[in-house]
């Protein structure tokens, strides 16, 4: 009996270890391959000349992520799981010789007119090479004034462009409570119009997240937390991963154009 007991304990320990390993392996596809999309679906539709030049020159790069709660990281388990922190991680992986910092300047609950008022202090004050401005969400969720939102973003973009900063707009999240709103399509059109008119980048977050659900076997619950609005850790990671891919392609396109 004394010999059987230790043997049984070892067997049970081995079974437990194998069970944990199997669970980890089963989770891997959701956190890696499922977050990747064809390059055309993550394209920003505009070059990033300032960022590209800084990467080529090997000088330190500063990126400011500004916006509301889905920039601040509401729904994430820690600040390190919010999309700006994950974006820094993926950009450092992609541009291994570059010194890249992504600053999180998100504030929960803000609308675009409120964010526009702090563009000078919180974005330009950091002397960024690129500003990623997440816009539109709270205006749509609150059935707010989309005209005010558009005017505010256009004013903020004009100041950023005048300062020589690359700009990428980030549109709405694909989330259950967002899909209940009739203002989604008009806001997406307004955001696309701002980007086109100003020849700046646009990260189509809504389309990217929808594609992850419709074509990559993910569920809404994989990406969005229980409040039906904010992304969870995986949702933020997927956004950061696909945004990093779009930024990488924009840099490559700019550099290829210079070599022609």
């Amino acid at each position: 009996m004394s010999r059987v007991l230790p043997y049984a304990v070892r067997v049970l320990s081995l079974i437990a270890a194998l069970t944990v390993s199997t669970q980890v392996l089963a989770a891997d596809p959701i956190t890696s391959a499922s977050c990747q999309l064809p390059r055309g679906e993550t394209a920003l539709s505009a070059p990033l000349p300032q960022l590209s030049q800084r990467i080529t020159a090997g000088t330190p790069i500063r990126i400011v992520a500004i916006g509301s709660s889905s920039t601040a990281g509401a729904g994430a388990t820690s600040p390190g799981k919010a999309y700006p922190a994950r974006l820094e991680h993926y950009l450092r992986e992609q541009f291994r010789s570059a010194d890249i910092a992504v600053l999180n300047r998100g504030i929960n609950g803000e609308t675009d007119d409120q964010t526009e008022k702090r563009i000078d202090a919180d974005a330009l004050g950091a002397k960024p090479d690129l500003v990623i401005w997440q816009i539109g969400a709270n205006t749509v969720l609150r059935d707010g004034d989309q005209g005010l939102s558009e005017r505010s973003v256009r004013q903020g973009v004009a100041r950023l462009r005048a300062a020589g900063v690359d700009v990428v707009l980030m549109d709405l999240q694909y989330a259950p409570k967002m899909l209940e709103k009739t203002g989604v399509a008009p806001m997406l059109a307004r955001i696309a119009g701002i980007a086109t008119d100003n020849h700046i980048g646009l990260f189509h977050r809504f389309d990217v997240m929808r594609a992850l659900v419709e074509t990559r076997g993910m569920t809404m619950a994989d990406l969005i937390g229980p409040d039906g609005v904010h992304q969870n850790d995986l949702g933020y990671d997927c956004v950061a991963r696909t945004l990093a891919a779009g930024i990488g392609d924009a840099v490559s396109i700019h550099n290829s154009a210079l070599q022609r």
Side-chain angles (χ1 to χ4, degrees):
M1 181 71 178
S2 60
R3 293 182 180 179
V4 172
L5 185 58
Y7 176 76
V9 170
R10 287 198 298 272
V11 169
L12 290 172
S13 298
L14 178 59
I15 291 171
L18 288 172
T19 300
V20 171
S21 298
T22 302
Q23 291 172 344
V24 170
L25 288 172
D28 281 345
I30 294 297
T31 59
S32 56
S34 297
C35 284
Q36 298 179 30
L37 292 170
R39 297 172 90 178
E41 296 189 45
T42 61
L44 304 180
S45 304
L48 300 173
Q50 174 72 8
L51 182 68
S52 302
Q53 290 164 15
R54 299 282 285 185
I55 289 173
T56 300
T59 51
I61 294 160
R62 183 165 291 185
I63 298 170
V64 168
I66 197 167
S68 57
S69 54
S70 57
T71 295
T77 57
S78 70
K81 298 294 186 179
Y83 105 75
R86 300 306 297 152
L87 178 63
E88 178 177 298
H89 168 78
Y90 288 121
L91 290 176
R92 286 178 174 234
E93 275 193 346
Q94 193 168 175
F95 304 105
R96 293 190 179 275
S97 62
D99 178 8
I100 299 175
V102 180
L103 309 180
N104 190 334
R105 295 292 184 264
I107 293 182
N108 293 339
E110 272 198 340
T111 50
D112 301 322
D113 56 304
Q114 294 173 314
T115 308
E116 185 269 332
K117 289 181 174 63
R118 59 187 184 89
I119 284 291
D120 290 345
D122 287 359
L124 290 174
K127 301 188 182 305
D129 305 294
L130 168 65
V131 169
I132 303 166
W133 190 357
Q134 168 257 315
I135 58 176
N138 284 326
T139 297
V140 172
L141 290 168
R142 300 170 188 171
D143 301 311
D145 185 345
Q146 293 199 11
L148 173 61
S149 177
E150 179 176 352
R151 290 191 300 274
S152 299
V153 174
R154 286 185 180 274
Q155 290 167 6
V157 166
R159 296 211 301 284
L160 292 169
R161 296 284 283 159
V165 177
D166 289 338
V167 181
V168 171
L169 300 180
M170 178 186 292
D171 66 19
L172 312 175
Q173 64 266 49
Y174 184 75
K177 288 193 177 178
M178 190 68 75
L179 296 177
E180 295 172 359
K181 296 296 182 177
T182 58
V184 167
M187 179 60 84
L188 291 174
R190 286 176 184 270
I191 295 171
I194 297 169
T196 299
D197 292 348
N198 289 277
H199 308 287
I200 58 176
L202 171 57
F203 178 66
H204 299 267
R205 176 170 57 150
F206 189 88
D207 289 343
V208 163
M209 293 180 70
R210 178 168 59 187
L212 291 173
V213 171
E214 294 180 353
T215 70
R216 302 301 292 171
M218 304 185 81
T219 67
M220 195 75 85
D222 289 327
L223 301 171
I224 301 295
D227 67 358
V229 175
H230 296 104
Q231 290 145 241
N232 53 28
D233 287 353
L234 178 58
Y236 285 125
D237 190 78
C238 285
V239 162
R241 192 185 295 254
T242 50
L243 176 54
I247 291 172
D249 285 343
V251 169
S252 297
I253 290 168
H254 177 268
N255 291 341
S256 296
L258 291 179
Q259 294 168 6
R260 290 173 187 167

